[in-house]
Amino acid sequence: MLDRMLRVDHAGEYGANRIYAGQMAVLGRSQTGPLIQHMWDQEKKHLAKFSEILAENRVRPTILLPIWNVAGFLLGASSALLLGKEGAMACTVAVEESIAEHYNSQIRALLEQEDPDRYTKLLQIIKEIRDEELEHHDTGLEHDAESVTGYWLLKNAIQLGCKAAIYASERV
Ligand SMILES: [Fe+2]
Ligand SMILES: [Fe+2]
C-alpha cells in the first residue's frame, strides 16, 4: 500500500512540475510569469521531498515518468498558448483540485491503518503539501480561471486525465 502511495505521489509532483514548466515556456515573460514561477518553485520542493522519501523506502518511481514528462509539458504549454493566462489558470485549478482530493483520500487511508502512528511523519508532509496545492488552486481562481471560454468542459477533461494518470501511476 505504502509503495503505491509514494509512487503515485512522486508521479503527480513530477507531472505538476512539467505542467508549470510548460506554462512558463509560454507565459514566463508575461505579467503572470512570477506568479507561475512561485507555484513551480513550490512544486520543485514537493518533488524533491517525494524523491527523497522514495529513495528512503527503496520504492521505484513509476515507469510512466517519460509519458508524464511530455504530457505534463504539453498540457501546460497548450492551455497557455491556446487560451492564454486564463487557460493556464483553469488548468491549474483543475489539476490542483484533483491533487488535493487525492491527498485527502490518502490522509484518510493512512488514518484508517491499524497503526497510524507509524505514519505520523508522512501524514505531516502530505498535509503540508496538500495545503500548498489548495493555495495553487485558489491562486488560479483569483486570477480569472473561470473566465476562460469552455471552463467547465476544460476543467472536467483535465480532471478525467488526472484520474487516469493517478490510476495508472499507482499500478505500474
Ligand atoms: Fe505539488
Ligand atoms: Fe500544486
Side-chain angles (χ1 to χ4, degrees):
M1 177 214 68
L2 191 65
D3 286 19
R4 276 169 58 131
M5 276 193 177
L6 298 177
R7 183 172 297 134
V8 69
D9 293 353
H10 173 265
E13 297 300 346
Y14 181 84
N17 269 273
R18 297 302 294 155
I19 291 171
Y20 287 110
Q23 290 185 357
M24 282 301 285
V26 177
L27 297 170
R29 266 161 292 177
S30 75
Q31 265 193 342
T32 326
L35 189 70
I36 298 171
Q37 184 66 52
H38 171 69
M39 296 194 279
W40 188 12
D41 289 344
Q42 289 180 314
E43 299 300 350
K44 287 177 188 169
K45 287 185 197 140
H46 299 171
L47 178 59
K49 196 73 214 169
F50 276 110
S51 298
E52 187 189 311
I53 303 175
L54 231 59
E56 273 171 18
N57 290 275
R58 296 173 194 282
V59 176
R60 64 157 180 83
T62 172
I63 59 167
L64 299 172
L65 288 189
I67 297 181
W68 305 149
N69 181 3
V70 177
F73 188 88
L74 282 179
L75 175 62
S78 64
S79 54
L81 202 61
L82 300 172
L83 300 164
K85 175 206 119 190
E86 290 78 11
M89 292 297 149
C91 173
T92 292
V93 171
V95 170
E96 300 290 1
E97 188 177 85
S98 291
I99 299 189
E101 278 172 12
H102 164 75
Y103 281 136
N104 278 334
S105 71
Q106 275 197 353
I107 291 166
R108 281 193 294 273
L110 287 171
L111 290 172
E112 280 165 10
Q113 296 298 305
E114 274 173 37
D115 47 352
D117 290 349
R118 231 183 99 194
Y119 302 109
T120 308
K121 199 178 141 212
L122 181 61
L123 274 163
Q124 184 62 34
I125 292 165
I126 294 179
K127 282 180 192 166
E128 278 170 23
I129 294 181
R130 187 262 333 258
D131 289 345
E132 289 190 351
E133 314 300 13
L134 286 172
E135 277 174 34
H136 299 167
H137 168 267
D138 294 349
T139 299
L141 286 181
E142 282 157 19
H143 291 82
D144 310 317
E146 290 162 303
S147 72
V148 75
T149 312
Y151 173 72
W152 187 88
L153 192 67
L154 182 67
K155 185 179 168 209
N156 280 276
I158 292 172
Q159 292 191 329
L160 204 63
C162 288
K163 284 204 184 103
I166 288 171
Y167 181 90
S169 300
E170 281 175 339
R171 283 163 180 80
V172 286

